[in-house]
Every structure is written in structure tokens, then in C-alpha cells.
Amino acid sequence: MRVNAPSTLRLALTLSLLAPVGAALADPITPWPGERTATGTLQLVPILYVAGDANSAYPSLYASTGIGDSWDVYVGVWGIASRELKGFDYVDVFPRYHLSEETAVALRLQLTPGESLVVGGELHTNFTWDKVSLMINTGVRPEFGLTTGALNAATVFAMVAPEYHFTDQFSVYFELNPALTTYAPLSQTGESALGTELALLPGLSYALDPEETQQFSVGAELALRRGEAFSLGNSITFAAWYAVSFDLAGDGGGEASSEEAAVSARAARSSRRLGRRSGLGAIW
């Protein structure tokens, strides 16, 4: 099923561009930060993944906002652009409850219309020591068939990203992202019942201005998958995202709200290209 970008998404983007800009802090490519998106702000994160052979590109757009004192929610739409396929066909939604300033638990809902639904639970957290930080996402993602309701697969994953901050505006990171998937029927034995992957992703993040209102991150990924030979198109991916945060209230929301926005409007997301081109479809 191929559909055009929803009109509501285009409307939200148009309205948000009219609002004052808040801060958006840069992060690694794949994991999401533990900090909460501030209430009264809208964060927009366009993301682009390009296959190493340049034959396919995977664009997306995420939006997030805070709810009350302890919640935020992310909504993302993914697409594909290649010679064979073009369009948007994947929706990613995850409300999060924040246990602390640096840690959140998330309910992950990933819908591929007409095919499957992932209903998972995740932990997003950050650690900081002076100029060094560590971002971790981990969880489990069961995938169910939409027509049958049966369990297709279950994935356990971790995303570990140490980062060194040379200045307030510039940092480098190295991601280590392992994943293990078991396919239904779960009693099945042999190589086809199990999928493993290890993704290695170095990159850098940079703020476009000292106020850190606009940020971007770029990286290159090497994916090693069990039973799959190396190829430029499947094993190497180039990735980039841009993040910006807007004050929906139009008045900055007060000093406390501005400070909250400055530490919570972060962005990064893994590519669901793996779901299209490898066995680890339950991850992405």
C-alpha cells in the first residue's frame, strides 16, 4: 500500500514554521534521548537514510510534544524512494512516561498498513560525565500479522551510543547496536528461526548556531547480519537528521519552559530499511 503524506502532517509543519524557535540539541543517529520534549513545544525531525549503492533512499518526518509534567509523544511517517517503489507506507508512534529527567519508558507502536503491527516496550536513558555522555535504548518488539493476528517475530535489541562533546556545539559518537530476532513458529529449529545483527555507526553532531536552535547529525553505518554476505547496498548506509523545536504558545512559555525545551528537544531515529531488506523486520 502506497499513500501520499497525510494532509494533517503537512498542516502541522506549516503551522509550526510560524512559531518562535526553541532549542534543539544534537544526538547520535539511532537511539532516542531520555529527556522529555517540553510541554508547549513542537519538535520536528526530518531524517534521511541513503543506501551505500545510492539506489534507495528512506525519508521520514517525526514530530513530538510534551504532555503534562511526565509525558511526551512521538509520531513519525516513513517512506521509500527507489526505482521500484515510491511513497509513504509506515507509521511509528510512541508515547513515553518519564521516570526522571534522563529516563523514560515507551510503548512502541509501528504500523505497516496491510502487513503488520509491532507492539513493544522500551527504555530510553542518558548518562553524562563532564564532556562524555552515553545514550542507551533497549527493549523488546513483538510483531503481529494484521490479517491473522498471530505473532510473526519477536526482537530484543539494544542501542548504545557513547559521545564526546568537544564544545557545546560539536560532538562525535560511536554507536554499537546489537539485535536478536526469533521468528514464528517459535518451536522452529535451525538457522531460519533466528536472526542476529550488529550495527556499527560512527558520526558527528553539530549546532548551527550558539543558541542551539537548529542541529544536525550525520553518520555512516556498517550492518553485519547473520547469514548475509557484505554488499554495498545492504551493509552500508549513510544517514542524517535535522532537528528544530518550536514554541507553540508563542511567548516562550516562561523561563522554566524555555530551560526545559533547551534540554529536551533532541532527535534521532533508526532506519526501517532493515525491515524491508533483511530478516530483522521487527526491529525497525
Side-chain angles (χ1 to χ4, degrees):
M1 177 180 180
R2 306 286 160 184
V3 298
N4 294 325
S7 59
T8 54
L9 187 62
R10 293 197 297 268
L11 177 60
L13 176 59
T14 301
L15 293 177
S16 67
L17 293 178
L18 302 178
V21 178
L25 304 184
D27 284 317
I29 289 289
T30 309
W32 290 104
E35 296 95 338
R36 189 173 71 91
T37 303
T39 301
T41 65
L42 174 66
Q43 176 185 234
L44 293 179
V45 190
I47 309 170
L48 179 64
Y49 283 78
V50 179
D53 58 7
N55 286 332
S56 301
Y58 303 87
S60 71
L61 177 64
Y62 276 80
S64 71
T65 189
I67 303 173
D69 296 329
S70 301
W71 291 86
D72 65 2
V73 61
Y74 284 75
V75 178
V77 179
W78 280 85
I80 182 173
S82 67
R83 293 187 181 91
E84 296 79 16
L85 298 172
K86 290 181 177 65
F88 293 89
D89 65 349
Y90 176 80
V91 178
D92 184 15
V93 178
F94 53 101
R96 306 193 304 177
Y97 178 78
H98 293 261
L99 305 175
S100 67
E101 291 183 358
E102 301 283 345
T103 302
V105 290
L107 172 66
R108 200 64 176 264
L109 305 172
Q110 298 173 312
L111 173 66
T112 302
E115 296 182 16
S116 65
L117 174 66
V118 172
V119 182
E122 301 180 9
L123 176 71
H124 302 168
T125 190
N126 312 322
F127 301 93
T128 304
W129 306 273
D130 194 19
K131 292 186 176 182
V132 177
S133 63
L134 177 66
M135 190 176 296
I136 299 174
N137 286 186
T138 187
V140 60
R141 294 179 182 171
E143 180 189 279
F144 300 89
L146 285 182
T147 56
T148 65
L151 179 66
N152 293 335
T155 298
V156 178
F157 71 94
M159 302 173 187
V160 181
E163 185 172 9
Y164 184 81
H165 303 263
F166 290 94
T167 68
D168 290 340
Q169 291 181 246
F170 177 69
S171 63
V172 296
Y173 54 84
F174 185 85
E175 296 185 25
L176 182 70
N177 306 327
L180 174 67
T181 298
T182 301
Y183 301 95
L186 299 181
S187 59
Q188 181 178 341
T189 60
E191 183 176 341
S192 61
L194 189 66
T196 59
E197 176 175 312
L198 176 62
L200 308 174
L201 198 159
L204 60 86
S205 295
Y206 187 71
L208 300 182
D209 59 327
E211 292 76 23
E212 299 180 344
T213 59
Q214 302 179 70
Q215 306 264 343
F216 76 92
S217 184
V218 295
E221 181 189 73
L222 169 63
L224 306 173
R225 305 183 186 96
R226 181 185 181 187
E228 181 177 305
F230 174 87
S231 68
L232 193 60
N234 287 324
S235 303
I236 300 294
T237 306
F238 301 100
W241 59 253
Y242 166 82
V244 63
S245 182
F246 302 94
D247 178 12
L248 298 179
D251 58 2
E255 181 179 353
S257 177
S258 298
E259 291 178 357
E260 183 182 26
V263 299
S264 66
R266 299 196 177 188
R269 171 62 182 135
S270 59
S271 169
R272 67 174 297 259
R273 68 193 180 284
L274 301 181
R276 294 188 176 96
R277 296 177 357 199
S278 79
L280 300 183
I283 302 177
W284 317 107

